Amino acid sequence: MATQHSRSAARLMNAPAVFVLLVWMLIPLCMTLYFSFTDYRPLRGVFDCCVGFENYGRFLGSSAFIDSVLTTLLMVGGILVVTVVGGVLLALLLDQPMWGQGIVRILVIAPFFVMPTVSALVWKNMFMNPVNGLFAYLWKFFGATPIDWLSEMPLFSIVWIVSWQWLPFATLILLTAVQSLSSEQLEAAEMDGASALSRFYHIILPHLGRAITVVILIQTIFLLSIFAEIFVTTNGAFGTRTLTYLVYQRVLESQNIGLGSAGGILAVILANIVAIFLMRIVGKNLDN
């Protein structure tokens, strides 16, 4: 049992790391909050430190804001569906005894370690290119006309690219949960005549409930800030401009630091609202 002296020593040793972390987070956040109340356009030599909530009103009143929020939610929802469903199926498959199981698991995990920019470039040029991509050659082989994925099906393409990278994360979490399931329950259900589908629905899926909620929570927090894949593939065109990309356009392309900072604060608020909502769902699931 930890004594008061040991707890005080632990706090003292953790203090430098906590201080650095707080400074690392708070300074950019405070600067963003300050700039959000200014009219700061450096290329035009404009700086007005007292515009109040004008930037927030302009950002919220823009038609692009609602569209970007809807695009973000659709994109995150689509990725979650693909990764959770695919993660459950892969976890069940990898839990089965097979030759070279360790190598197979490493290959499944590998996409998670690929940089988002590299992943997007590979999919854009090697797979989805309408002229020289692998999918184009497959379409031609079967006598069909190749599809320009990023212009004809842009939202689906980005969802697929990001899902490919996040699927290993979901698979790892769900595989751990599957392996913690008692085999005696499945054997008893099988002896009672329960089908494979019935065993999955009544035993395996409820057991995976906590792991699924954790996967949804963690992935949602990170996926709300999708940027690299959109920047590399579509540049926000064809209805793929998320809230994060809209902030980028306001800051760098329009050179309006104040307006972009207001959008950044709104994005942080939206992410926290979603995180709090999901935390409540996770908390209820973990308490059951």
Side-chain angles (χ1 to χ4, degrees):
M1 185 175 181
T3 63
Q4 181 64 32
H5 177 72
S6 62
R7 287 196 293 266
S8 299
R11 294 192 187 100
L12 183 62
M13 288 185 287
N14 288 329
V18 173
F19 175 76
V20 172
L21 182 62
L22 287 176
V23 171
W24 187 272
M25 294 173 58
L26 288 178
I27 289 180
L29 182 61
C30 292
M31 291 181 64
T32 304
L33 186 61
Y34 167 71
F35 283 128
S36 68
F37 293 104
T38 66
D39 182 9
Y40 183 28
R41 288 170 285 174
L43 292 184
R44 300 182 183 180
V46 176
F47 182 79
D48 185 356
C49 65
C50 302
V51 297
F53 290 92
E54 180 182 337
N55 288 324
Y56 291 92
R58 288 179 58 191
F59 200 92
L60 289 171
S62 171
S63 59
F65 172 74
I66 300 298
D67 293 338
S68 64
V69 171
L70 292 177
T71 301
T72 303
L73 296 178
L74 285 174
M75 200 172 290
V76 172
I79 295 168
L80 288 177
V81 170
V82 174
T83 53
V84 170
V85 174
V88 170
L89 296 177
L90 280 176
L92 295 175
L93 179 62
L94 294 176
D95 188 53
Q96 303 301 317
M98 65 179 72
W99 181 85
Q101 190 177 53
I103 298 176
V104 173
R105 289 181 179 179
I106 292 174
L107 292 175
V108 171
I109 297 169
F112 188 66
F113 300 101
V114 179
M115 293 291 292
T117 306
V118 176
S119 171
L121 284 172
V122 169
W123 277 94
K124 177 182 178 180
N125 297 316
M126 294 184 61
F127 292 97
M128 296 181 174
N129 189 287
V131 178
N132 299 317
L134 177 62
F135 294 156
Y137 283 108
L138 290 176
W139 257 240
K140 292 176 183 177
F141 178 78
F142 290 105
T145 303
I147 299 175
D148 189 354
W149 294 89
L150 293 173
S151 61
E152 297 181 27
M153 305 176 67
L155 196 60
F156 172 82
S157 301
I158 294 178
V159 166
W160 188 258
I161 293 171
V162 180
S163 298
W164 176 82
Q165 189 172 17
W166 278 94
L167 184 59
F169 172 80
T171 302
L172 277 176
I173 302 297
L174 295 170
L175 177 59
T176 304
V178 169
Q179 291 177 335
S180 67
L181 177 63
S182 174
S183 59
E184 296 178 356
Q185 289 182 289
L186 296 175
E187 292 174 357
E190 186 176 3
M191 292 179 62
D192 290 339
S195 62
L197 186 61
S198 180
R199 294 197 300 270
F200 171 78
Y201 184 76
H202 293 286
I203 298 177
I204 298 176
L205 194 58
H207 181 76
L208 295 178
R210 294 186 177 186
I212 291 175
T213 51
V214 171
V215 168
I216 292 175
L217 173 63
I218 296 175
Q219 287 194 171
T220 301
I221 294 173
F222 283 95
L223 292 175
L224 285 171
S225 59
I226 294 176
F227 176 80
E229 294 84 352
I230 300 172
F231 179 78
V232 171
T233 55
T234 64
N235 283 319
F238 311 113
T240 60
R241 182 169 56 182
T242 59
L243 184 57
T244 305
Y245 201 88
L246 179 62
V247 173
Y248 159 78
Q249 287 183 326
R250 293 294 183 266
V251 174
L252 293 183
E253 294 185 3
S254 301
Q255 289 297 316
N256 194 329
I257 306 299
L259 187 60
S261 297
I265 296 298
L266 291 173
V268 171
I269 294 174
L270 176 63
N272 278 276
I273 291 174
V274 174
I276 292 172
F277 175 74
L278 290 176
M279 281 296 293
R280 290 187 176 182
I281 295 177
V282 172
K284 289 181 181 179
N285 201 344
L286 294 179
D287 290 339
N288 292 334

